Amino acid sequence: MIITVQGANGSVIDLSDIVTTLTNSVISRVAMGRRFEHSKIKHLLDRFLDLVGRFSFATYIPSLGWIDILTGFDRKTNELIKEVDEFCEDVIREHENKKQFGDEDQDLVDILLEILIDNSSGYHLEKDVMKVVLFVIYIYIYMYIYIYIYLSISIHICRLCLVSSLVLDRLDQGA
């Protein structure tokens, strides 16, 4: 991120893409043990947020659920569910294989796998529930960090504008 900003040499930079990449990298490493392709996860998150922002007739007025079929909402939702399921399945499979080779580093997926395999903890966890937990936690952390960073940047910009305004006022008073 720093190298990208330094390499800009004073030109305009798309901070949203840089912040999104950084956020994805941090969350991927903490929750899933490694960094995943930014565009893949961002695509899934963007589609998820798009669907969350749409009105679902079937959710609020079940008798009008057929409208969701006509608008393509059902199809898009089912496609996203399938892609998220495949992504989470790949992550879980990768962690299961990692355990076979004796890798000791633990992350969220490893902890959930232990709960899934070992029922002595008193918790019962299904694999499908584990996939949902992974995706929801990823979304939650992603949105939290994203909002925090953007609020921080916005606050700094507001402060800069306020200071600039005060300086201009003082210059006008002195003139």
Side-chain angles (χ1 to χ4, degrees), residues 87-173:
F87 175 76
C88 290
E89 185 66 41
D90 289 344
V91 170
I92 292 169
R93 196 174 310 116
E94 180 180 302
H95 277 73
E96 288 172 337
N97 292 338
K98 184 176 81 168
K99 282 291 184 199
Q100 290 176 353
F101 292 110
D103 192 350
E104 295 298 320
D105 293 335
Q106 273 202 325
D107 54 32
L108 178 65
V109 178
D110 293 319
I111 293 168
L112 290 174
L113 271 172
E114 283 180 12
I115 293 171
L116 180 74
I117 294 168
D118 183 22
N119 285 334
S120 65
S121 63
Y123 297 104
H124 179 69
L125 184 65
E126 299 287 330
K127 199 169 194 176
D128 288 338
V129 173
M130 182 179 164
K131 293 174 190 176
V132 171
V133 167
L134 281 175
F135 193 65
V136 168
I137 287 175
Y138 198 93
I139 289 170
Y140 178 77
I141 295 171
Y142 182 86
M143 295 308 294
Y144 179 80
I145 292 174
Y146 203 70
I147 290 169
Y148 176 79
I149 290 172
Y150 269 103
L151 285 177
S152 297
I153 291 171
S154 298
I155 289 169
H156 290 298
I157 290 172
C158 288
R159 285 182 185 160
L160 181 63
C161 291
L162 180 63
V163 169
S164 298
S165 175
L166 292 173
V167 168
L168 290 174
D169 285 345
R170 294 254 168 98
L171 289 174
D172 285 343
Q173 291 173 359

Side-chain angles (χ1 to χ4, degrees), residues 1-9 11 13-14 18:
M1 181 171 145
I2 294 171
I3 294 170
T4 304
V5 173
Q6 286 176 340
N9 295 329
S11 62
I13 303 170
D14 181 9
I18 294 170

Side-chain angles (χ1 to χ4, degrees), residues 20-63:
T20 304
T21 303
L22 174 66
T23 304
N24 172 54
S25 181
V26 170
I27 296 170
S28 293
R29 288 184 180 156
V30 170
M32 300 178 196
R34 74 171 180 91
R35 186 172 177 211
F36 288 90
E37 183 182 332
H38 167 69
S39 60
K40 170 94 172 143
I41 291 181
K42 184 171 179 350
H43 179 68
L44 290 174
L45 288 172
D46 286 346
R47 288 179 48 215
F48 173 78
L49 293 174
D50 178 54
L51 289 174
V52 167
R54 291 181 182 214
F55 184 79
S56 167
F57 286 92
T59 301
Y60 300 103
I61 312 166
S63 61

